Amino acid sequence: MTKEDLKQLEDDLWRSADTLRANSDLKSSEYSTPVLGLIFLKFADNKYRQHEKQILKEYAKLKGTRREKPVSEIAIEKCGFYLPDHARYDYLLRMPDKEDIAKAIKNAMEAIEEYKEELKGVLPKDEYFRLTRTDKTIPKQLLKNFADIPQDASGDMFGQIYEYFLGNFAKAEGQGGGEFFTPRSVVRLMVEIIEPHKGTVYDPACGSGGMFVQSAGFIERHREELTNGDGDIFVYGQEKTLETVKLARMNLAVNGLRGDIKQANTYYEDSFGSFGQFDYVLANPPFNVDDVSLKSVEKDKRFNTYGIPRNKSKVKKSDEGKETVPNGNYLWINLFATSLKAGGRAALVMANSASDARHSEADIRRTLIEKNLIYGMLTLPSNMFYTVTLPATLWFFDKAKKDYNILFIDARNIFTQIDRAHREFSEEQIQNIAVISHLHRGGRHKFVRLIDDYFRQGMEKLIENKTQVEPVSEQLLDVLDDDAGKKAVAELVKQWSGLKALQTAYDRYVGARRAVPDDASDINKKNKAQHQLREAFDPFFASLHEGLKKLDKIVRQHEKQQTEQAKAEGKRGGIDRKTKALKEALDALHEEVKNAESFFRHIHWLQERFPMAEYEDVTGLCKLASLAEVKEQDYSLNPGRYVGVVIEEDGKTEEEFIAELLTMNEELLGWNEEARTLEAVIAGNLRQLAGEE
């Protein structure tokens, strides 16, 4: 299943499930847990189905011997689940509508829990009765919806579907939803920078467990780089809300992760004896909490090792013993620093205000800096979270630092707009930002590998695009039969023929690249070869855009002629089907070229900023600040103070800019027409009121 197919499946599943909720009296908070439970049930059934023959074969082989085992024990060993017949997805799906489906689902969940100790009390059961309050058919309809998930779907696919639903429920629930979900792309960036690859991972505010899932995802993506048993992690999480703890435990099971999630309020409870215990710590804790009891935390070494946030003014005698911490942000910052083992790394999401907070918090920040615990700071764009519109900051800790420098990254201008209210990082944007940290750590080979990956993907897209040129050319000639049209089409074909020479150059580069190892002495050669290869592609794209621009102009002229001719003949419209089809095909080609070129633009972006394939300060993006420079800024950890400001172009090509202007003009014309209609209606109403009509 391709990424596009999976996205379509996710959208279809969400749409159908959310339609059922909209037609009931259920709140999103009542609906999310049972829906996620059914996704889990389908996952368990699929996994069991994939191992069923092997389980039964083993059972038959051992039956009647000294080594005989119950089928349930063999199933747990082989696939992690045992599902008796009444807990199978198809059994529930085939039940007659007159049966109590909610009760049958509850029984199935109880059966799964009976044979899997870590899920005891976790799976939703009585929640399915809520679904039937106004419509008794909802449980059955949901079963039908999720039956569309392919039977051979992998755990990865289920993990993505599960996470997609978590994110949409977080959007639907607004402020409350953000408590259990951190957007995937933010977590991906955090994980790519701290690179968890072996040992223990701790999240003291784990929500639904997204940090853990992305940690495991990082290991899978980099599996070929890991050696000597690396790639084995065990996760520990604390979360104060029981329902969210259940979501997290299901998330771990869906993604095949080993771990332990406890219900606990991290301010007052320490379920795992966290002080100095973990290799990696990741979290998105609640911001600006002001009701934490000072008495409860001031003697806790998790929070007081580097100082406790305190009120400026002296407490009144009547309030002694009742004091609260003025702001909990630095409690979390303290917790991260104290939970790491020697050599451990951490990343947390924090309110921007903490970077410059004053008074007792400034003292804590100074101590952390002077103890050399802060590795880096990264400012996020605004609107990345469902509950926080202002930019947040990522803090990075590293107890293996060998110098006193701090890496500052300002990523506020790097994002992909997904709708009016929300933004995210694309996969390429995540890699481009993370590679800054890799370069800083001396990982130059990761930089050249990333550019290699962009060349490969861009080349694949271009070869795929070329197959569309011939059919589009035929459509063009079918519509544009004048000399100008034929000439423009011939030029388009000629431009694409240049791809053959580029492919030869690329193949030659790949052959030479394989023969050169990734040691430091050869990075410079590889980097130089990459620059030369990228420069070879620049004229191709320039020529391509010029040719497509000419074709767009000719097609617009053709449209105009058709419209004028139709007007002269007293007809409506005027653009024929062939022209419409041609426009759609040409737009598709534009889009595909843009997608292919995007990989080469990422190469440009990286090579312009880091031309020597090694870290350097880039105005407006990154700065490696010394301890002296941080002292000069009064120990501020706000990246904006260090990196400077640069005004960048919007990145649009001329044809994109013109197309956008034309679209805006069409919208304006439509609004003007609506305004004139409304003006006439208002004038008519006034005349009626005045008795003039």
Side-chain angles (χ1 to χ4, degrees), residues 463-479 489 492-493 496 551 578 581-586 588-589:
I463 292 167
E464 187 184 316
N465 295 165
K466 193 173 185 298
T467 61
Q468 299 179 37
V469 175
E470 192 174 330
V472 171
S473 298
E474 288 174 3
Q475 280 182 279
L476 284 162
L477 289 171
D478 196 28
V479 173
V489 173
L492 177 68
V493 173
W496 275 97
L551 278 169
K578 282 185 180 180
L582 169 61
K583 279 192 72 183
E584 288 171 7
L586 203 53
L589 185 58

Side-chain angles (χ1 to χ4, degrees), residues 7-163:
K7 181 70 174 71
Q8 188 60 52
L9 176 62
E10 288 171 341
D11 289 344
D12 291 344
L13 291 174
W14 171 258
R15 199 178 301 111
S16 57
D18 195 46
T19 299
L20 293 178
R21 184 201 61 78
N23 292 329
S24 72
D25 67 342
L26 296 166
K27 299 174 186 174
S28 290
S29 54
E30 293 179 293
Y31 195 59
S32 57
T33 303
V35 165
L36 290 164
L38 288 182
I39 294 175
F40 173 83
L41 181 62
K42 185 71 168 80
F43 161 75
D45 188 82
N46 273 25
K47 194 168 184 184
Y48 191 79
R49 184 187 298 275
Q50 289 162 13
H51 292 85
E52 193 165 15
K53 283 183 182 176
Q54 197 180 357
I55 292 165
L56 295 176
K57 185 179 177 181
E58 181 79 2
Y59 175 71
K61 178 183 170 184
L62 300 178
K63 192 174 183 183
T65 71
R66 287 183 187 179
R67 295 164 53 219
E68 183 175 348
K69 294 179 184 178
V71 69
S72 58
E73 192 176 322
I74 297 169
I76 294 292
E77 288 172 4
K78 297 287 184 187
C79 80
F81 297 101
Y82 172 59
L83 276 67
D85 289 344
H86 71 278
R88 302 301 298 271
Y89 203 89
D90 283 351
Y91 171 85
L92 297 168
L93 198 60
R94 288 195 300 264
M95 285 184 72
D97 292 344
K98 63 181 181 180
E99 298 288 337
D100 190 340
I101 307 294
K103 185 177 180 182
I105 295 173
K106 177 184 177 181
N107 293 340
M109 296 296 187
E110 287 174 339
I112 295 174
E113 287 187 351
E114 182 182 346
Y115 295 99
K116 196 166 177 70
E117 187 65 31
E118 58 266 44
L119 288 176
K120 283 270 171 76
V122 169
L123 301 180
K125 293 177 279 290
D126 291 332
E127 288 88 339
Y128 293 98
F129 297 110
R130 288 185 202 161
L131 300 183
T132 63
R133 263 196 322 241
T134 56
D135 186 345
K136 293 191 181 298
T137 69
I138 287 180
K140 185 65 174 281
Q141 290 182 68
L142 284 171
L143 283 166
K144 288 178 181 176
N145 287 343
F146 297 124
D148 290 340
I149 298 174
Q151 290 188 354
D152 61 349
S154 65
D156 284 348
M157 184 187 292
F158 269 96
Q160 288 189 58
I161 291 170
Y162 187 89
E163 192 170 3

Side-chain angles (χ1 to χ4, degrees), residues 93 105 120 217 219 241 265 291 304 316 321 357 387 394 429 499 516 518 631 661 664:
L93 198 60
I105 295 173
K120 283 270 171 76
I219 289 169
T241 308
N265 185 328
D291 58 356
N304 69 11
K316 295 177 184 176
T387 57
L394 301 183
Q429 287 166 338
L499 184 60
V516 180
D518 263 339
K631 281 181 181 177
L661 275 180
M664 290 168 67

